[in-house]
Amino acid sequence: MDVEDTRRYADLWAHVESETSRRLLLAALDAFADHGFEAATTRDIARRAGMSPAAVYLYYRSKVELLEKIMRIGHESVLQEVIDAMDGHVSAPDRTAAFVTAFSSWHARFATLGQVTARELRALPPERFGEILALRQATERLVADELERGAAEGELHVDDLQGTVRAILSLGVDSARWYAPQRGGDPESIGQLHADLVLRMLR
Amino acid sequence: MDVEDTRRYADLWAHVESETSRRLLLAALDAFADHGFEAATTRDIARRAGMSPAAVYLYYRSKVELLEKIMRIGHESVLQEVIDAMDGHVSAPDRTAAFVTAFSSWHARFATLGQVTARELRALPPERFGEILALRQATERLVADELERGAAEGELHVDDLQGTVRAILSLGVDSARWYAPQRGGDPESIGQLHADLVLRMLR
């Protein structure tokens, strides 16, 4: 992760108390992204954070607690970002475009987090899996509601609601897999391109 | 993996000599999907194949050799499938639709393989990474060429070639992440839905 990324992620968990906790979240995120949750070790996370493995346990009881925290912050962040983006728009097409722009931009901007949140869902303990799933479903429902309303008002053409919602989410989720600043394009312009393509899909 | 899946994957590596080699590929694929390549162990792969760990080494020198084989078969399979699907179609829109149908269907039909091929690219040794990347780029070029031709002939509307190609591929690649038969829809109808959405995008 470069300096720019580190700064962006620092903002994302600015509300987490203690600088060390925040540093550990970043170290864990990098370790999970590089090795996968299961293969990542507390020793590696500690090394990346410049701490001893024993010191990690003063902040987090386990590797899974770090994952839970990362997953919750990630899913709350994307949900809040699409809510904020849609706010102030009225028509179903405008609100849909705002959703897509924010959702795809978020996944490019926080590509490492987007990869980990999509890949490691099953590594969560059952009670936490349910919480995170509820956040994913809330995000999904925001765009599904707009497509339904737009179709009912005759402003959007939707043949298969569930399939179209999945396609819209796929554009964003997969951006986290391929996006890298050096491949050209900034997160915002990827979001706008996807919004343009989606509005075309729905004409 | 259920019986239906096992049969489908058996067909995919029918050309691999020896039933044991084929059984090991399936066992390795399942282990990589469940734990990630790095955390998967030869012991677990052997157990899934009903063999001793030592016996695995009579067939494959290492876990990475199993991954290489799986990656090559997967990438060759999807490339061949889109070539076959496009064959016989002439116009750029028809060839694009055939590509999208085949590409998205393949990723739903072989969802486990699609997840592993997308996730574990970086686990390949450098010389194999290059080979697999070339297969991915050949697949990508097939659809990029049609979009370019369609735009030149005035049959397709393309503002951002690279971004649109990526969006088309994302629909398919991400299907491997979320698709499960019990979630409704068969691979073929997902492919057709995506082809319909993509043609709308390009009007």
Side-chain angles (χ1 to χ4, degrees):
Chain A
M1 230 177 234
D2 63 17
V3 177
E4 187 60 35
D5 273 340
T6 305
R7 206 170 291 142
R8 211 167 16 241
Y9 285 96
D11 287 347
L12 195 65
W13 27 73
H15 62 287
V16 175
E17 277 186 42
S18 113
E19 192 272 332
T20 311
S21 293
R22 296 194 295 271
R23 192 145 42 94
L24 277 168
L25 288 175
L26 193 66
L29 176 63
D30 272 345
F32 299 160
D34 285 348
H35 303 293
F37 172 75
E38 202 177 326
T41 60
T42 307
R43 177 171 300 275
D44 180 35
I45 294 168
R47 189 189 49 75
R48 289 172 193 251
M51 299 167 67
S52 74
V56 173
Y57 294 103
L58 298 175
Y59 295 88
Y60 293 96
R61 273 169 306 177
S62 62
K63 201 173 65 163
V64 82
E65 196 174 304
L66 278 157
L67 180 66
E68 285 173 20
K69 190 98 183 169
I70 288 169
M71 294 294 257
R72 192 166 333 105
I73 293 174
H75 283 87
E76 284 173 355
S77 162
V78 68
L79 176 56
Q80 191 58 55
E81 203 145 311
V82 294
I83 289 172
D84 291 348
M86 292 167 90
D87 199 37
H89 295 283
V90 178
S91 76
D94 285 353
R95 286 173 61 83
T96 302
F99 177 97
V100 175
T101 306
F103 189 79
S104 285
S105 298
W106 187 93
H107 280 86
R109 194 172 328 116
F110 295 111
T112 309
L113 182 57
Q115 284 166 37
V116 169
T117 52
R119 284 181 190 183
E120 305 294 0
L121 260 184
R122 285 184 313 172
L124 289 172
E127 68 281 15
R128 289 301 154 82
F129 179 83
E131 280 175 33
I132 299 298
L133 192 64
L135 289 169
R136 288 181 88 88
Q137 288 168 339
T139 305
E140 195 170 324
R141 209 174 311 118
L142 283 173
V143 67
D145 286 350
E146 296 306 325
L147 296 196
E148 267 192 314
R149 184 167 69 93
E153 293 171 351
E155 291 198 272
L156 296 175
H157 170 111
V158 184
D159 285 326
D160 174 341
L161 178 67
Q162 178 74 321
T164 307
V165 167
R166 286 238 175 83
I168 288 172
L169 299 175
S170 285
L171 294 179
V173 171
D174 196 57
S175 300
R177 182 184 59 84
W178 64 258
Y179 180 75
Q182 65 276 19
R183 294 181 81 170
D186 58 287
E188 197 54 32
S189 64
I190 287 158
Q192 280 163 10
L193 170 68
H194 288 176
D196 175 53
L197 295 175
V198 167
L199 286 187
R200 293 180 161 274
M201 263 183 201
L202 298 170
R203 281 187 313 200
Chain B
M1 231 178 232
D2 64 15
V3 177
E4 188 61 35
D5 273 341
T6 306
R7 205 170 291 141
R8 214 172 8 247
Y9 285 95
D11 287 348
L12 196 66
W13 27 72
H15 63 286
V16 175
E17 277 187 42
S18 115
E19 192 272 332
T20 312
S21 293
R22 296 194 295 271
R23 192 145 43 93
L24 278 168
L25 288 176
L26 193 65
L29 175 63
D30 272 346
F32 298 160
D34 286 348
H35 304 292
F37 172 76
E38 201 177 327
T41 61
T42 307
R43 178 171 298 276
D44 180 35
I45 295 168
R47 190 190 51 74
R48 289 172 192 250
M51 298 168 66
S52 73
V56 173
Y57 294 103
L58 298 174
Y59 295 88
Y60 294 96
R61 273 169 304 175
S62 61
K63 204 174 64 162
V64 80
E65 195 175 307
L66 278 157
L67 180 66
E68 285 172 20
K69 190 97 182 169
I70 287 169
M71 294 294 257
R72 191 163 337 103
I73 292 174
H75 283 86
E76 284 173 354
S77 163
V78 68
L79 176 56
Q80 191 59 54
E81 205 147 308
V82 295
I83 289 171
D84 290 348
M86 292 167 91
D87 198 38
H89 294 283
V90 178
S91 76
D94 286 352
R95 286 174 61 83
T96 301
F99 176 98
V100 175
T101 306
F103 189 80
S104 284
S105 299
W106 188 93
H107 280 86
R109 196 173 326 119
F110 295 110
T112 310
L113 182 57
Q115 284 165 38
V116 169
T117 50
R119 284 180 191 184
E120 305 294 0
L121 260 183
R122 285 183 313 172
L124 290 172
E127 68 281 14
R128 288 302 155 83
F129 179 84
E131 279 174 33
I132 299 300
L133 192 64
L135 288 169
R136 287 181 90 87
Q137 288 169 338
T139 304
E140 196 170 324
R141 208 172 314 118
L142 283 172
V143 68
D145 286 350
E146 296 306 325
L147 297 196
E148 268 192 315
R149 185 167 68 95
E153 292 171 352
E155 292 198 90
L156 297 174
H157 171 109
V158 184
D159 285 327
D160 173 341
L161 178 68
Q162 179 72 321
T164 307
V165 167
R166 285 238 174 84
I168 289 172
L169 299 174
S170 285
L171 294 178
V173 171
D174 196 56
S175 300
R177 182 184 59 83
W178 64 259
Y179 180 74
Q182 64 275 20
R183 294 182 80 170
D186 57 286
E188 196 55 31
S189 65
I190 288 158
Q192 280 162 11
L193 170 68
H194 288 175
D196 176 52
L197 295 175
V198 167
L199 286 188
R200 292 180 163 276
M201 263 183 202
L202 299 170
R203 279 187 313 198

